[in-house]
Amino acid sequence: MEKKTDKNLYTVLFATGMVIVVGSLLAFVASSLRPKIDENKRIEKQQNILYAMGVNENDESSAIFVAGDKVGEEFTKYITSQLVITNGTDAKEDNEAYLIDVKKEQSKAKDGEERRLPLFVGEKDGKTFYVAPIRGKGLWDAVWAYVAMDENMVVQGAYFDHQAETAGLGANIKQRFFMDDFIGEHLLDDSGNFVGINISKSNGDPLNNDKTDNEVDAIAGATITGDGVAAMLRKDLKLYVPYFKTLKK
């Protein structure tokens, strides 16, 4: 005698029921964790912004963020305004500019839509910093950065990170020896034209004493990642040039 459980209908109904149950559980867990996920994203972005302008807990060689339980207070202390730039020069204050997804804004621009550019203005030791979040492509996946500049587009600090670059090679873009090289580098040439910063294997300045050559030393064995970082700096930071020109008026 054929059992009911041997029928194809039973198999289909059982599988459907399991999908519904598991799907419901996953949706519930995702919904429950959403506030925590959003909070972690806020902490990470604020830590990155502060790190770029030199508000961190670095030791002699390691990159160390402001602690998560302190970052909100420090962000309020050092960041004086959050701007959203459109049409090159139109800047409006937005206290949630740090939530703007740079990847989504890049996609919008490719589709012909207006791209919003977040920019964070901070004050530290009597100096004004302008921190821009940027995103590009490394060897294997995405790379991104937060770059702090002064009004002349001279880099004051930077934090780089990546999705899946090779450990010990391209992944070293987030190491102090690489990030610190950018401090003092000029994004403009002597004539005031934007040129960015090249990551060069043939750089004749390994100690990085020349800050006006628009170059830093490449990471050995990470040529493609370095090229991706350089392309990201050129492509995304160039979009901020019209706004920085307004600071000179």
Side-chain angles (χ1 to χ4, degrees):
M1 181 176 179
E2 184 183 22
K3 296 181 181 179
K4 291 183 179 180
T5 54
D6 291 336
K7 294 182 179 179
N8 289 337
L9 179 60
Y10 177 86
T11 303
V12 171
L13 290 174
F14 179 79
T16 302
M18 288 300 296
V19 168
I20 293 172
V21 171
V22 173
S24 298
L25 285 173
L26 290 175
F28 173 76
V29 171
S31 177
S32 300
L33 293 178
R34 177 54 57 188
K36 183 64 175 178
I37 293 171
D38 290 343
E39 176 66 1
N40 288 339
K41 286 182 178 179
R42 176 192 69 81
I43 290 173
E44 181 181 4
K45 288 186 177 183
Q46 291 184 347
Q47 285 174 324
N48 291 171
I49 293 165
L50 290 173
Y51 185 96
M53 59 178 289
V55 181
N56 51 56
E57 298 179 2
N58 286 352
D59 59 22
E60 291 184 358
S61 60
S62 301
I64 305 173
F65 293 124
V66 171
D69 59 349
K70 298 178 182 178
V71 69
E73 180 182 350
E74 295 291 271
F75 193 80
T76 301
K77 176 181 176 181
Y78 288 102
I79 300 301
T80 57
S81 63
Q82 300 183 55
L83 304 177
V84 177
I85 301 170
T86 54
N87 297 319
T89 58
D90 295 337
K92 295 183 179 179
E93 291 206 27
D94 185 339
N95 289 332
E96 293 190 341
Y98 69 91
L99 295 177
I100 290 177
D101 189 322
V102 176
K103 180 180 179 180
K104 289 182 179 179
E105 294 300 316
Q106 290 176 333
S107 296
K108 285 168 57 178
K110 288 180 180 178
D111 292 336
E113 299 180 47
E114 182 178 68
R115 177 176 173 178
R116 297 177 299 164
L117 300 172
L119 185 68
F120 307 93
V121 185
E123 296 286 339
K124 177 174 172 280
D125 299 330
K127 194 171 185 177
T128 302
F129 296 78
Y130 301 87
V131 185
I134 58 178
R135 187 179 179 90
K137 179 73 169 64
L139 172 60
W140 302 112
D141 210 321
V143 294
W144 58 89
Y146 290 79
V147 181
M149 301 163 279
D150 66 10
E151 66 278 7
N152 297 311
M153 297 196 83
V154 176
V155 176
Q156 304 301 303
Y159 179 75
F160 294 96
D161 209 341
H162 64 93
Q163 185 70 35
E165 298 307 286
T166 306
L169 298 174
N172 283 341
I173 63 172
K174 63 184 297 184
Q175 297 299 317
R176 283 280 304 278
F177 75 85
F178 181 73
M179 296 190 293
D180 288 356
D181 257 4
F182 287 83
I183 298 174
E185 285 290 331
H186 291 221
L187 289 160
L188 309 179
D189 65 15
D190 292 338
S191 300
N193 301 308
F194 181 88
V195 293
I197 300 172
N198 191 35
I199 316 299
S200 174
K201 291 196 301 182
S202 59
N203 182 26
D205 180 28
L207 296 180
N208 201 34
N209 293 318
D210 186 355
K211 297 295 185 178
T212 62
D213 62 355
N214 306 106
E215 285 189 348
V216 299
D217 244 11
I219 297 172
T223 301
I224 296 178
T225 302
D227 289 345
V229 169
M232 170 179 68
L233 292 166
R234 284 193 299 270
K235 177 173 62 70
D236 271 15
L237 292 181
K238 185 176 183 179
L239 300 175
Y240 288 88
V241 171
Y243 172 77
F244 275 86
K245 287 184 177 179
T246 68
L247 300 177
K248 302 294 185 181
K249 295 180 180 179

